[in-house]
Amino acid sequence: MVDAHHPFKPPHIGKATELSGGDRLLYRLLEILPGFLSWGTILGAIFLSYFNPVLAAISIIIFDFYWLLKTVYLSIYLRHNWRRMKHNMALDWMVMLSNLKYEHIVHLVILPYYKESAEVIEKTFEALVDARYDKKKIAVVLAAEERAGEQAQEIAQYIQKKYAHLFGHFYITTHPHNIAGEIIGKGSNIAYAIEQARISLLDAYQIQYEDVMVSAFDMDTVVYKDYFLCITWHFLTAENPYRVSFQPVPLYNNNMWEAPALSRVVATSGTFWQMIQQERPEKLATFSSHAVSFKTLYEIGYWQKNMVSEDSRIFWNAFLAYDGNYSVVPISYPISMDANLAPTLWQTIKNIYKQQRRWGWGVENVPYILFGMIKNPHISFWKKIKVSFVQLEGFWSLATNPILIFLIGWLPLLIGGGEFNTTILSYNLPIITRNLMILAMAGLVMSAIISLTFLPKRPSYVGGHKRLFMVLQWFFVPITVIFLGSVPGLEAQTRLMFGKYMGFWVTPKHRIHS
Amino acid sequence: MRPMVHKKRALYFISFAVVFIVVIPFIILYSLGYRFTKEYGLDERGGIYVFVSEPGSQIFIDDTLEKVTGTFQKELFLQNLKPQSYRVLVSHEDFWPWAKEVDVYEREVSALFPFLVPKDIVMRDIIQATTTAITTKTATLVHTKSEYEKVLEFFTSPIVVGATAPATAPATAPATTSATSTIGARERKNMRIWSEGNQVFAEWMGSSDRTPPYFCKVRVCEPLLVVFSAADEIRSVDFYPGREDAVIISVRDGIFALEIDTRTYHNFYPLYKGVTPEVRVEDGEVYVKDGTFFVELIDL
């Protein structure tokens, strides 16, 4: 728990209904805020297109130009991070650590497991085995779910039998079903698992909490060979290692050659966004697989068990607990996961949508952050303003920008009336928008090149022509950013706005070839 | 290798912000139709938009070839034009040339949709069948009307659509005598046409802000327009197939196509020459009755 002298301990709030009185009202209003801003923008643009199409058209042109510059601006960060990642991947991290004392650092790997196949789990474990680090200093917790049933337990036992002897410690935990105050999901599972590990491993073997780095992974997370060395180096060289989380770059290379183009574009776009954020660490929160000191986790009470987006919430828990003195160290070193892939294309698209909606549900952090900052007098005013702006602008952009650019941008022409349609502005609007978008899309060439450099070796069962499709796939971007970006993001915000809280949805992992 | 240093990031941010602030006023002024003069002043310009559905059409503005249309590139948008009158000519080897003088106003676009009529019109005779076509279908005899009977019916039945002409004729229209007949009105989208005596009228029934420019003079618009005045009585009038801004009329010994837009030049084309022809447009097909003969004008 947070030390006794600490003035503020952030409660693990999941939603407004868990509060009462004025706090409940305040939290509820903050839940409404992101959706209100997004819908206000979209409806405002429609309203303006009808009642003042000239002003709407000028606003759209300004916005298009802003978007073009933003695209170019962010591509500079993307390119820089790409160079940094390539550099970090080429480094010998063992040499980097040679002048540091690191033998005492224990890595605790938490692998939340639901019903993934043995094949998926084996790939994850093979990578752990291949990773360069003293395996005696690696403890693995396979965090199973009781509700997954007998078959899942059997697979867990099989994995234990096959891999347990290769690591310093190996545990299977089984998260009980139907614990009061919890929702089904990764957060409740790994919070349970890590407490079990603390008792059975850290306390039992008297391992110092300060010496334990926890990597909270997904079941399909595959580490690159120097991951543990890289994390260790960053941990040991961090100015304050207990006030930071460590964020690798998620690639989706496990099945990139098998996944359909739409899935690849969405997954790689996610990677690119994380790469950009790695260069702007003040805007970065933890995402998906990440690492953090056990000491920190213990102090802030582990991951929340009553909400969906535990991966980013754990950062905000720490941020509020330490009065805003908490940040993310972007390690610019990759880990790999599965891109969405289902037996049929339609099912894959549905799964992508659901996964994007779940990620978009990260908007549930907004009321938590704003509420927590309002209640915490120790965070500076400007930091509160800055954090609030970054969060609100981020979710607002996700839900509205592609819709504004690709759909509503043409609306003044359709509903602006006959008088507007005779103005030279009405003729220039689509031309300028189109030209600015073409320029912005030119940035996709760079995206295509960068994505190719991270591709794993092409499997023998995949034809050589697929490399060409890996380039051409980027033409899907206008579709994916709207229908597999904005729309699920907007749905998540709308649900939060109306108090229709989402539950956890486990992305199914499907492999075509082993 | 470390993340991008703060100083460099700030430099990028400021550079992009400066580009945004400096460039955006120029983009907005340009999109509104403003242009800088050599004297560093601002001029207001307008534009012309021409849409031609026929590929291979040449579009001239003031005798300068500006574009040859293609299968996908069917339009010309020319801006940066000084506010004045321009002569637009559309030429195609298979069609009669189309020309129009159009006024361009500041920050506005004059849109033109040239009305092209083929030079060589194919005619198909519709002959009365000697026997009645009877087909059998599941042992039931079905009498199928011959094409001749159908066409005959077009000319003998009263026009149903919008069968009444407006009560008030435009003030500019010459007074018609009680002896003149009103040929039943036709409506398409927001346009209504009819003839009275030797005149053809058009009425815009849509919203005033979408009134076509040819209903307006010096930006003052009237919804009623005399499209054509002939020396003889107009026998029939109908919309040209596929257009609501052009009509087909029969007068004297001919059938003619003309546009409702009466601004210079009022384009007027011959379609058929006979004795006393009448015309009907049904389902996009143009039928002519000339005495006892019936023909169809194909591929208009």
Side-chain angles (χ1 to χ4, degrees), chain A residues 8 24 74 76 138 158 386 417 510:
Chain A
F8 177 72
R24 180 173 178 158
L74 293 180
I76 293 170
I138 294 179
Y158 160 74
K386 209 169 161 183
H510 175 73

Side-chain angles (χ1 to χ4, degrees), chain A residues 22 30 65 121 127 161 183 231 241 264 268 325 366 425 429 512:
Chain A
L30 295 172
F65 188 58
I121 306 172
K161 196 173 172 186
I183 68 162
I231 288 281
R264 297 196 302 264
T268 313
N325 298 313
V366 170
L425 178 63
L429 175 63
I512 294 174

Side-chain angles (χ1 to χ4, degrees), chain A residues 498-511:
Chain A
F498 289 106
K500 304 286 181 194
Y501 302 104
M502 283 179 64
F504 194 87
W505 178 77
V506 181
T507 310
K509 308 289 187 291
H510 175 73
R511 299 272 168 84

Side-chain angles (χ1 to χ4, degrees), chain A residues 84 279 282 418 422 424 428, chain B residues 4 9 31 79 107 109 209:
Chain A
R84 198 151 72 91
E279 298 304 312
E282 78 283 357
T422 63
I424 206 159
N428 276 324
Chain B
M4 205 184 289
R9 288 180 56 191
S31 65
Q79 54 180 330
R107 291 181 284 119
V109 174
D209 69 328

Side-chain angles (χ1 to χ4, degrees), chain B residues 51 53 113-116 188 239-247 259:
Chain B
F51 179 89
S53 56
F113 301 88
F115 171 46
L116 296 184
R188 181 173 289 174
F239 282 104
Y240 191 88
R243 299 193 69 122
E244 60 277 353
D245 59 351
V247 297
E259 54 186 5

Side-chain angles (χ1 to χ4, degrees), chain A residues 99-115:
Chain A
N99 293 327
L100 297 169
K101 184 179 173 332
Y102 68 97
E103 292 75 15
H104 60 292
I105 301 296
V106 173
H107 284 275
L108 177 59
V109 179
I110 310 282
L111 295 167
Y113 166 50
Y114 181 49
K115 286 181 176 177

Side-chain angles (χ1 to χ4, degrees), chain B residues 116-155:
Chain B
L116 296 184
V117 172
K119 287 175 184 168
D120 298 319
I121 294 170
V122 180
M123 283 182 261
R124 182 173 71 88
D125 292 334
I126 298 170
I127 304 164
Q128 187 172 14
T130 50
T131 55
T132 305
I134 296 174
T135 57
T136 59
K137 187 179 181 184
T138 59
T140 305
L141 288 177
V142 178
H143 176 260
T144 307
K145 277 184 186 170
S146 71
E147 187 185 19
Y148 182 87
E149 286 172 311
K150 279 187 197 169
V151 174
L152 183 64
E153 216 170 86
F154 294 152
F155 285 92

Side-chain angles (χ1 to χ4, degrees), chain A residues 234-490:
Chain A
H234 280 96
F235 176 67
L236 293 174
T237 57
E239 199 175 321
N240 191 346
Y242 306 110
R243 294 292 181 272
V244 288
S245 294
F246 301 89
Q247 181 65 50
V249 176
L251 302 181
Y252 296 87
N253 277 351
N254 291 0
N255 57 350
M256 194 52 98
W257 287 103
E258 290 89 16
L262 278 174
S263 180
R264 297 196 302 264
V265 169
V266 173
T268 313
S269 300
T271 296
F272 286 169
W273 180 246
Q274 287 298 316
M275 288 171 69
I276 290 165
Q277 296 299 73
Q278 292 256 325
E279 298 304 312
R280 310 189 297 171
E282 78 283 357
K283 295 177 194 285
L284 190 59
T286 43
F287 171 79
S288 191
S289 300
H290 59 274
V292 59
S293 156
F294 181 85
K295 177 180 185 292
T296 307
L297 281 175
Y298 184 68
E299 282 180 358
I300 62 175
Y302 307 137
W303 294 273
Q304 276 191 228
K305 301 170 182 177
N306 55 348
M307 45 88 68
V308 175
S309 314
E310 91 299 325
D311 55 343
S312 47
R313 176 61 64 87
I314 190 68
F315 171 81
W316 296 111
N317 293 143
F319 179 86
L320 293 175
Y322 300 124
D323 298 334
N325 298 313
Y326 196 83
S327 59
V328 174
V329 172
I331 68 168
S332 284
Y333 191 83
I335 44 103
S336 181
M337 294 188 287
D338 279 21
N340 257 299
L341 175 63
T344 64
L345 177 63
W346 180 238
Q347 189 58 47
T348 300
I349 292 170
K350 286 204 287 190
N351 288 354
I352 296 169
Y353 183 91
K354 285 180 181 176
Q355 188 182 54
Q356 293 295 313
R357 188 178 59 186
R358 194 188 79 199
W359 289 351
W361 185 247
V363 73
E364 69 177 327
N365 286 325
V366 170
Y368 178 81
I369 299 161
L370 300 185
F371 181 83
M373 290 197 299
I374 289 168
K375 295 288 180 183
N376 188 330
H378 303 288
I379 301 174
S380 76
F381 175 74
W382 285 113
K383 187 168 248 182
K384 287 178 181 177
I385 294 291
K386 209 169 161 183
V387 169
S388 302
F389 177 78
V390 168
Q391 289 304 308
L392 287 169
E393 194 273 339
F395 284 103
W396 173 83
S397 297
L398 167 77
T400 62
N401 285 12
I403 291 176
L404 286 175
I405 288 162
F406 292 107
L407 297 181
I408 293 179
W410 315 96
L411 211 55
L413 302 175
L414 300 175
I415 63 173
E419 198 175 319
F420 173 71
N421 282 343
T422 63
T423 63
I424 206 159
L425 178 63
S426 75
Y427 284 81
N428 276 324
L429 175 63
I431 294 171
I432 291 174
T433 300
R434 182 196 64 204
N435 291 345
L436 292 176
M437 288 308 102
I438 288 170
L439 284 173
M441 290 297 148
L444 293 179
V445 175
M446 193 174 83
S447 304
I449 293 167
I450 289 178
S451 69
L452 285 178
T453 63
F454 287 132
L455 272 182
K457 191 169 176 287
R458 177 169 57 84
S460 56
Y461 54 81
V462 174
H465 63 284
K466 195 144 188 183
R467 186 169 282 273
L468 177 64
F469 293 138
M470 293 283 181
V471 175
L472 298 178
Q473 68 190 21
W474 292 99
F475 285 108
F476 282 121
V477 164
I479 296 169
T480 58
V481 292
I482 295 175
F483 298 106
L484 298 172
S486 277
V487 175
L490 194 60

